[in-house]
Structure formats: structure tokens, C-alpha cells
Amino acid sequence: MTGASGHDVHARMRWSLHALCDAVDRFGGPPARPITAEVRRTLDEKIRVAVVGRVKAGKSTLVNALIGKRVAPTSERECTKITTHYRFGSPERGELVLRDGKRLELPLDGGSLPEDLPVDVTEVAHAVIWLQVDSLEDIILIDTPGLATTTTENEETTRRALLGHDGARQADALLYVFHNVPYLDDVSFLQEWATVTDKPGESAASAIGILSHADQVGGSPWGDDDPIELAKKQATGIAKLHGAQLGTVIPVAGLMAASAATGLIRERDARTLAKLADVDDFDLELRDPNDTDAEFAGVSGTEVQNLVGLVGEYGLRYGRSVASEGSRAVSEWLRERSGIETLERSLRERYIARSHFVKARSSLNTLERLAWSWGAPPKLKELVSEARLREEFHPLRELDALERLAAVAPHHELVQLLDLQLSARDDAERIGVPGASPDAVSKAALMRVAQARRAMLVTSAPIVQHACRTLERSFTIIARRNQQQ
């Protein structure tokens, strides 16, 4: 391989962050050490993504769909008042982390927290549940109490965990769940989230909006318009309106997604749904949900309501077309139509695949907040400011430019070029000449420098200019690095 490999880039960044923590410890003294210790610890962790939103927005249903197991409580139980971290691990087990640092073993109830906790919820910092499920191998998923709740303590728990009120932010990125549109307090929380990030636009890069209940947009799935198609248009409009806070907005039908992901659709359900294929939509729309004696093509009213509990009214109307192919076909259809596949792909591309860079950016931001906090020695500001200018942290500028540009112009040619800088195996691939010698890579990089400068002159869009400026430095670094070989 030519030049710096992906592993080399990550290793240099980690080494520099550890060295920066050591320097911060020397000048910051005892007040800094708990924060630098947390930075060191989280650098070795998987990326942490928190699911946030108002009460009843559909957060826990979304968590269950992403994990593929019914573990997050969807009823108003005591454990909905605490933040819960879902992690990969065996044996499956639970633990309470208390505010005073103590840890208590917690027996699980079918993989979920028990209904009652052994201590008062005000004593709990968060809970941790280890599950042996593939979906958690590359991510830590954090379920949070609802915002905009009448219980002040519940909302404060979420703010303390995510906004760093205890001195360290628990999440690297957010999935912000809202029903129909973000309300003023939703936007307010996202703006607070922006205050714990580093640059304008970075809060949007680290937050995905989830338009929940996508199967109910427009009021009813029995009308002329497909609610999920309406939800897609609505999500696009919300993304444009709130682009400063949300990098993208994805419509998701949570119930449909959770039923498919958690294996609730059985062959018996598929057969029952298939029997309804020729029933007139009008008859199903106007049925009385409480009429258990009703019958539709041999299917009782009770059975119809059971299906609605699994797939919603939307699944009842549109899912009949695939039900004759069996439960697997129904589940696959539910996954695709619910939007959960789009969300999973976005999580992989935005966060998991770039987790080394996202973690490094989060760590650098944490150290910068410490450096600019009241009473911090001036030397800390100098240390962090100098670190941001180092070559080994330039990939964070590439990530910033990529996310800003992708948010407004996802198909722009520079998006692919910026992504290549972060994902390529070596410098030859980054510059588009795989297998070339160091000398050839250096010459090709200098040509790219000239192209980036010309592109900067012919565009008036600030975000594109920022991307060009970032790539100019990327290619300059590659050229210099390969001249030295």
C-alpha cells in the first residue's frame, strides 16, 4: 500500500489524542483528570447513538426495531424514567450505574429491565444492558426518557446524559424522534445539542431526524394518498427547514418496523392477512374495531384487530398483496416500507463506518469545552487550538466538509471524493491511482491540488468552496507525504 493506510490514520489520531490528554492533565490538574479519563475510555468504545424525543414520540418502539428484540419498555413503567445503554455482550445481563459511581447487578426480565428498580430512580445515572444480538456489535444504542414531560426529573435525566451536565456527554450522535413536525421545544433541545459540538453545522452532522408514525401521515391509510409517500415528502421539507439542526430526516413507521425486526410476524398471521386480499377496502375501513362478531372472508373482527396490532392500518391495507407469499415476505415488505432499512443504512454510512473519526471529533470537542470552561488555565486553550491544526486531525475537517455538503447536495461529485479520503485503504486510492508508486501518487496529488483551486474560483456556494478548500489541503498532505517516501 502507498502512503498512510486507514489503520495508520486512525492510530496517529488516537496517539495524538492520548498525548493531548496527558498534556491537559499536566496543565489542568485534578479538575481535568475525570474528563480526560472519560475521553481515553470512550476512544476505545463503539460509537454511542442516543434515541431522543418527546414522550410518546415512538422512541422505545424504534429502539426495539433497531435492536431486533423487544427490550425497551413501551409502557409507562418505572424504568422508562432512566437512560438505558444497550451493548453487545455475553452472558446477557443488566446493571445499574448509580450517581455516586456504585454499580448494582440487575436481573433482566426477558432481556429488558424489570418493572421495579431496587433503588429510587433519582439515584440512578443510567442502566446498562448487555445483549448477544448482531445489531449491537458495532454500536451502543442509548434509550432516553421523554422530553416535554410533566415529570421534570425525567427530562433532566435526558439533558444531563446527553448535554454533559455531569461533565461528559454520553452520546456521540442522536436519533431525534418527532411526530408530524418538530415543535419549538424539539428545536430548542437540538440547539442545546449544538452548543456541545464544535462548529456550525456539526450538530446537524451528528443528528438524524426520525419522522415517526410515517404510516399515519395524512390521517388515514385508506384514502387516495399513500401515507408513507406523503411522509417522505414531508421529511424532505423538514430537512430543508431544519438543516441547521438535522443532517437528514428519515420517515419510519415504528410499529411495522418493530414487528418485522422482532420476528412477531408468524405464518398464521400471513395466512390470515392473505385471506383478506379480496375484501373491499371500504369494508375494512368502516369496520367497527369493537365488533368481535364481524367477519371478513372468514376472518373474525378479533383477528383483524390482532393484525392491526402487528402491522397497523397501513399494513392491513397494503400488506395483503404480499401475504400469500408467507411470513418472510410480509416481514421483508414491512422492513422496506417502514423505512427501517433506510435508517439502518444511514446509521452505517454516517456513524458506524466513520466511527473512528466521529469518536475522535467528539473527544476533541470534549477537551475543547474543558479548555474554554470557566477557571480553566489559558494554556489549555492553546493546547487544544494547536491540536486542531495538526495534520493527523485533518480527516476531521474532511468529515465536517463531507457532512455539510451531503446534507444539502448528497449527489454532488465532491461528496464521493470526500468520502473516499476517509474510507480508502491508502493514499493511492485516495488520489484515484490505485497501485501507483509514491512518486506517481505525489504527482497526481499535485494535479488534484490545482483542480481544487480552480474549482474554488468557479463556484459561489460557500459549502462547495469549503469542500474544495478542504480537499486542496488533503491533496497537499498526500503529495508531501509521498514525496518523503
Side-chain angles (χ1 to χ4, degrees):
M1 291 191 292
T2 304
S5 68
H7 176 75
D8 292 338
V9 170
H10 302 152
R12 282 204 299 267
M13 198 177 294
R14 279 173 51 83
W15 184 90
S16 290
L17 279 167
H18 279 286
L20 181 58
C21 284
D22 292 341
V24 168
D25 282 343
R26 287 195 300 274
F27 290 97
R33 283 166 193 156
I35 296 175
T36 54
E38 179 70 7
V39 167
R40 290 185 181 94
R41 184 185 65 81
T42 56
L43 272 175
D44 296 323
E45 279 194 339
K46 299 163 188 170
I47 194 163
R48 303 162 300 178
V49 178
V51 181
V52 190
R54 299 164 64 90
V55 172
K56 297 296 184 183
K59 300 184 305 298
S60 294
T61 300
L62 181 66
V63 169
N64 290 333
L66 288 169
I67 292 176
K69 192 173 184 178
R70 297 183 71 182
V71 291
T74 54
S75 61
E76 285 301 313
R77 298 180 352 188
E78 188 177 27
C79 54
T80 62
K81 301 173 185 177
I82 64 175
T83 300
T84 305
H85 297 212
Y86 294 94
R87 311 175 61 127
F88 181 82
S90 178
E92 296 194 344
R93 63 198 188 277
E95 182 180 77
L96 285 182
V97 180
L98 304 186
R99 297 287 299 278
D100 62 7
K102 294 179 181 177
R103 294 175 178 260
L104 297 179
E105 185 178 342
L106 194 65
L108 299 182
D109 180 9
S112 183
L113 291 171
E115 289 198 21
D116 299 310
L117 302 176
V119 297
D120 191 276
V121 292
T122 59
E123 298 179 42
V124 179
H126 62 272
V128 185
I129 295 181
W130 286 268
L131 299 171
Q132 198 169 3
V133 293
D134 293 344
S135 57
L136 294 174
E137 284 192 303
D138 298 313
I139 194 172
I140 297 171
L141 203 60
I142 303 175
D143 191 16
T144 64
L147 300 170
T149 171
T150 56
T151 307
T152 305
E153 291 82 2
N154 292 3
E155 180 157 344
E156 179 58 28
T157 296
T158 298
R159 291 180 179 276
R160 187 171 55 245
L162 301 179
L163 302 178
H165 293 189
D166 279 344
R169 199 176 71 190
Q170 291 184 12
D172 300 304
L174 299 184
L175 298 180
Y176 199 94
V177 184
F178 53 87
H179 194 177
N180 292 323
V181 294
Y183 290 95
L184 183 61
D185 49 7
D186 295 318
V187 176
S188 176
F189 181 89
L190 288 165
Q191 288 171 340
E192 285 189 68
W193 171 256
T195 67
V196 297
T197 57
D198 173 50
K199 304 170 185 172
E202 190 175 300
S203 57
S206 58
I208 294 175
I210 307 296
L211 175 58
S212 64
H213 305 92
D215 53 329
Q216 299 173 23
V217 170
S220 170
W222 298 100
D224 294 335
D225 295 316
D226 184 327
I228 288 180
E229 295 306 315
L230 291 176
K232 290 178 181 178
K233 294 178 182 178
Q234 185 172 328
T236 300
I238 293 171
K240 289 180 179 178
L241 185 62
H242 297 284
Q245 291 87 34
L246 298 168
T248 187
V249 177
I250 299 172
V252 176
L255 175 64
M256 293 165 55
S259 292
T262 58
L264 292 181
I265 308 299
R266 299 160 297 180
E267 286 299 332
R268 182 177 64 188
D269 302 316
R271 287 195 298 270
T272 303
L273 191 58
K275 288 180 182 179
L276 299 171
D278 295 327
V279 176
D280 191 272
D281 286 354
F282 193 69
D283 292 334
L284 288 174
E285 180 185 7
L286 297 183
R287 74 188 188 284
D288 181 354
N290 299 314
D291 186 358
T292 57
D293 295 327
E295 187 173 296
F296 306 88
V299 178
S300 70
T302 300
E303 290 177 303
V304 172
Q305 284 309 110
N306 288 340
L307 283 175
V308 171
L310 285 174
V311 301
E313 293 284 345
Y314 185 97
L316 181 63
R317 179 180 184 184
Y318 293 99
R320 290 175 288 162
S321 60
V322 298
S324 62
E325 299 174 39
S327 62
R328 182 173 180 178
V330 173
S331 292
E332 289 176 350
W333 177 82
L334 287 170
R335 280 185 54 79
E336 189 278 325
R337 290 305 292 161
S338 69
I340 195 67
E341 288 185 344
T342 302
L343 174 55
E344 289 171 343
R345 183 166 59 251
S346 187
L347 278 171
R348 286 193 302 271
E349 293 174 352
R350 283 175 170 265
Y351 301 142
I352 296 174
R354 303 169 191 160
S355 61
H356 295 287
F357 305 114
V358 174
K359 298 292 287 187
R361 178 172 64 187
S362 179
S363 297
L364 203 53
N365 291 346
T366 298
L367 295 174
E368 185 160 66
R369 288 194 299 276
L370 170 63
W372 285 89
S373 62
W374 183 86
K379 181 65 176 178
L380 295 190
K381 300 183 185 69
E382 182 183 334
L383 285 170
V384 178
S385 297
E386 287 178 351
R388 285 197 177 277
L389 299 176
R390 292 178 194 161
E391 184 177 302
E392 58 265 33
F393 289 119
H394 180 67
L396 303 187
R397 294 177 180 269
E398 294 171 337
L399 179 62
D400 170 66
L402 167 62
E403 290 173 333
R404 291 192 194 194
L405 184 58
V408 297
H411 303 299
H412 197 286
E413 60 181 348
L414 294 185
V415 168
Q416 185 177 0
L417 194 53
L418 284 162
D419 183 62
L420 185 62
Q421 305 312 300
L422 298 168
S423 60
R425 292 179 302 171
D426 57 26
D427 284 345
E429 284 193 2
R430 289 184 187 96
I431 213 68
V433 287
S437 67
D439 184 59
V441 169
S442 181
K443 290 178 180 177
L446 290 174
M447 290 179 62
R448 290 279 195 173
V449 169
Q451 290 171 356
R453 288 173 180 168
R454 286 196 297 270
M456 229 183 319
L457 295 174
V458 299
T459 181
S460 59
I463 290 179
V464 178
Q465 287 183 335
H466 174 63
C468 291
R469 194 175 299 109
T470 301
L471 285 168
E472 178 191 10
R473 188 176 182 213
S474 301
F475 301 142
T476 300
I477 290 171
I478 292 173
R480 184 171 61 246
R481 189 158 56 206
N482 283 269
Q483 283 173 351
Q484 296 168 354
Q485 293 189 33

mmCIF file of all heavy atoms in Angstrom, residues 83 143 217 241 273 354 361:
data_model
loop_
_atom_site.group_PDB
_atom_site.id
_atom_site.type_symbol
_atom_site.label_atom_id
_atom_site.label_comp_id
_atom_site.label_asym_id
_atom_site.label_seq_id
_atom_site.Cartn_x
_atom_site.Cartn_y
_atom_site.Cartn_z
ATOM 1 N N THR A 83 -32.098 6.549 31.726
ATOM 2 C CA THR A 83 -31.379 6.336 30.472
ATOM 3 C C THR A 83 -30.819 4.915 30.476
ATOM 4 O O THR A 83 -30.258 4.465 31.472
ATOM 5 C CB THR A 83 -30.228 7.346 30.344
ATOM 6 O OG1 THR A 83 -30.773 8.660 30.357
ATOM 7 C CG2 THR A 83 -29.452 7.136 29.061
ATOM 8 N N ASP A 143 -31.288 4.490 24.983
ATOM 9 C CA ASP A 143 -32.699 4.875 25.065
ATOM 10 C C ASP A 143 -32.842 5.882 26.197
ATOM 11 O O ASP A 143 -32.276 5.699 27.279
ATOM 12 C CB ASP A 143 -33.563 3.633 25.344
ATOM 13 C CG ASP A 143 -35.045 3.925 25.183
ATOM 14 O OD1 ASP A 143 -35.389 4.958 24.582
ATOM 15 O OD2 ASP A 143 -35.868 3.104 25.656
ATOM 16 N N VAL A 217 -49.251 9.461 8.431
ATOM 17 C CA VAL A 217 -49.218 10.826 7.899
ATOM 18 C C VAL A 217 -50.410 11.033 6.960
ATOM 19 O O VAL A 217 -50.700 10.196 6.109
ATOM 20 C CB VAL A 217 -47.894 11.098 7.151
ATOM 21 C CG1 VAL A 217 -47.962 12.420 6.401
ATOM 22 C CG2 VAL A 217 -46.736 11.103 8.143
ATOM 23 N N LEU A 241 -35.973 22.740 6.141
ATOM 24 C CA LEU A 241 -36.326 23.793 7.085
ATOM 25 C C LEU A 241 -35.416 23.790 8.312
ATOM 26 O O LEU A 241 -35.065 24.845 8.846
ATOM 27 C CB LEU A 241 -37.781 23.626 7.519
ATOM 28 C CG LEU A 241 -38.365 24.712 8.424
ATOM 29 C CD1 LEU A 241 -38.370 26.061 7.707
ATOM 30 C CD2 LEU A 241 -39.790 24.338 8.853
ATOM 31 N N LEU A 273 -53.826 -12.605 6.910
ATOM 32 C CA LEU A 273 -53.773 -11.396 6.102
ATOM 33 C C LEU A 273 -54.079 -11.699 4.640
ATOM 34 O O LEU A 273 -54.765 -10.923 3.951
ATOM 35 C CB LEU A 273 -52.383 -10.758 6.238
ATOM 36 C CG LEU A 273 -52.175 -9.344 5.689
ATOM 37 C CD1 LEU A 273 -53.151 -8.359 6.337
ATOM 38 C CD2 LEU A 273 -50.740 -8.893 5.922
ATOM 39 N N ARG A 354 -17.700 5.482 9.902
ATOM 40 C CA ARG A 354 -16.774 6.582 10.207
ATOM 41 C C ARG A 354 -16.568 6.729 11.707
ATOM 42 O O ARG A 354 -16.242 7.807 12.197
ATOM 43 C CB ARG A 354 -17.322 7.890 9.632
ATOM 44 C CG ARG A 354 -17.577 7.820 8.126
ATOM 45 C CD ARG A 354 -18.357 9.036 7.660
ATOM 46 N NE ARG A 354 -18.824 8.854 6.298
ATOM 47 C CZ ARG A 354 -19.821 9.545 5.751
ATOM 48 N NH1 ARG A 354 -20.451 10.457 6.465
ATOM 49 N NH2 ARG A 354 -20.203 9.316 4.503
ATOM 50 N N ARG A 361 -13.546 13.197 16.882
ATOM 51 C CA ARG A 361 -14.142 14.540 16.886
ATOM 52 C C ARG A 361 -14.847 14.823 18.206
ATOM 53 O O ARG A 361 -14.685 15.894 18.794
ATOM 54 C CB ARG A 361 -15.141 14.672 15.727
ATOM 55 C CG ARG A 361 -15.845 16.020 15.681
ATOM 56 C CD ARG A 361 -16.673 16.168 14.425
ATOM 57 N NE ARG A 361 -17.761 15.209 14.359
ATOM 58 C CZ ARG A 361 -18.544 15.061 13.292
ATOM 59 N NH1 ARG A 361 -18.323 15.782 12.215
ATOM 60 N NH2 ARG A 361 -19.520 14.178 13.288
#
